[in-house]
Amino acid sequence: MASIWFLDLSAYIIHLSSSHHKGVLSSHSITRKVGHRGTMQDYPGFSPSVDAEAIRKAIRGIGTDEETLISILTERTNAQRQLIVQAYQAAYGKELKDDLKGDLSGHFKELMVALVTPPAMFDAKQLKKSMKGVGTSEHALIEILTTRTSRQMKEISQAYYTVYKKSLGDDISSETSGDFRKALLTLADGRRDESLRVDEQLAKKDAQILYNAGENRWGTDEDKFTEILCLRSFPQLKLTFDEYRNISQKDIEDSIKGELSGHFEDLLLAIVRCARSMPAFLAERLHQALKGVGTDEFTLNRIMVSRSEIDLLDIRAEFKKHYGYSLYSAIKSDTSGNYETTLLKICGRDD
């Protein structure tokens, strides 16, 4: 459960060359970027027991030593933090997250607890929160289900069942409806293709199916949109959207906006944006969380923590490119105290 997810489809680079073979662009070989696009690295000379002891002292002393807590928990990877959690439990017979909850408060507490939670468990809890109480936070549901890999989704579903003794699918079914529900359930199943080959003939075929399901008929065949957008790989979808423009002379986003509505429309647009650039999609989510009156800490915490070892460097770059100022400065002007300090440490540095 404590596995870290270093790579996702946004970190694939497509190398194009001209040789085609039976309609499959075998030469569109997709390679993983070498290296690591997160802001957090393994801490050298790491000792779980030394860290556990330092955290215990920081919590038990007169007043809490927040500085020590922040510097340890933001300078270790999640895998290392899980080892600290185990060492803490072994040495003191207590759950670190419970001691943090008892000693800290507000958004700072939520962020610190998020840092010591295994990734799949963290996402499971975020999904539960999105569906709990009055109303459903559809944007959080959409963001999590569109940005996680198939493997991540399987681990999240497992964690969800472990904690809540209910399947994620059952809760999604009871909290949502219609085409939106159908699409969410397809994503929650973790069946998106993640092969690294891009098939040109399939892209042409899918583009035609999408055109026939929307622009080219009276009424819309929503199931076709769900099937293609929720199951094809992101590189495959990128190619399909290019073919779609050739056929319809329209961008797929414009067609979705014209043909569909409500949360189902929001979900499909999120998939299109993820296929084109997941870091840009998440930068947009962060921008929405930080702009205007009040801060959406639920979204801010989730993206900062869950992408800190995957693509936060790319998200930072996209943020600066699209909004003209850095993510670091946006966090600085919108948050305060220990909460601000922790977020800035996760962010890494100013751009």
Side-chain angles (χ1 to χ4, degrees), residues 118-332:
M121 190 69 75
F122 176 63
D123 280 342
K125 290 184 170 181
Q126 293 281 299
L127 287 166
K128 185 68 171 177
K129 262 190 203 165
S130 307
M131 296 185 279
K132 216 165 72 178
V134 182
T136 300
S137 170
E138 286 86 3
H139 289 298
L141 273 183
I142 290 170
E143 178 212 299
I144 296 168
L145 292 176
T146 53
T147 55
R148 302 313 189 244
T149 63
S150 295
R151 181 169 149 235
Q152 285 174 321
M153 277 318 309
K154 290 191 162 65
E155 291 184 7
I156 292 163
S157 294
Q158 230 176 331
Y160 196 94
Y161 191 78
T162 304
V163 182
Y164 303 112
K165 301 293 174 270
K166 267 185 94 173
S167 83
L168 173 59
D170 286 350
D171 276 352
I172 289 172
S173 286
S174 61
E175 291 297 326
T176 58
S177 61
D179 294 308
F180 180 52
R181 167 166 62 195
K182 236 186 244 181
L184 286 175
L185 289 171
T186 307
L187 292 172
D189 251 0
R191 289 187 294 129
R192 186 182 293 288
D193 173 35
E194 283 171 1
S195 76
L196 307 184
R197 304 183 84 190
V198 182
D199 183 335
E200 198 171 25
Q201 292 313 312
L202 180 64
K204 285 184 167 144
K205 190 178 137 206
D206 281 350
Q208 191 64 55
I209 290 170
L210 290 172
Y211 182 60
N212 293 344
E215 292 289 347
N216 203 26
R217 61 171 276 166
W218 184 256
T220 310
D221 183 349
E222 289 85 358
D223 284 353
K224 291 281 189 287
F225 277 86
T226 297
E227 197 178 306
I228 293 170
L229 270 71
C230 295
L231 295 175
R232 301 282 186 259
S233 75
F234 285 144
Q236 181 68 32
L237 284 176
K238 259 177 111 159
L239 193 60
T240 304
F241 301 152
D242 292 343
E243 293 293 348
Y244 183 87
R245 185 186 272 285
N246 294 340
I247 294 168
S248 68
Q249 306 306 305
K250 275 182 94 165
D251 188 85
I252 187 75
E253 283 202 38
D254 296 329
S255 290
I256 289 169
K257 285 173 187 167
E259 294 292 323
L260 306 165
S261 63
H263 299 307
F264 183 52
E265 176 195 345
D266 297 336
L267 174 61
L268 295 191
L269 289 174
I271 294 171
V272 173
R273 284 164 196 165
C274 284
R276 286 176 168 162
S277 167
M278 198 177 288
F281 170 69
L282 290 166
E284 185 190 350
R285 293 279 298 141
L286 283 170
H287 182 248
Q288 287 162 351
L290 287 161
K291 70 171 190 182
V293 182
T295 307
D296 173 3
E297 290 88 0
F298 182 49
T299 300
L300 182 57
N301 289 358
R302 179 176 57 256
I303 297 176
M304 295 301 287
V305 171
S306 69
R307 308 312 287 192
S308 61
E309 292 175 53
I310 299 174
D311 54 3
L312 192 50
L313 290 173
D314 297 326
I315 293 168
R316 264 174 31 189
E318 291 291 340
F319 194 98
K320 181 80 185 259
K321 186 171 100 185
H322 284 86
Y323 308 110
Y325 54 93
S326 68
L327 175 58
Y328 192 96
S329 66
I331 291 168
K332 210 168 168 48

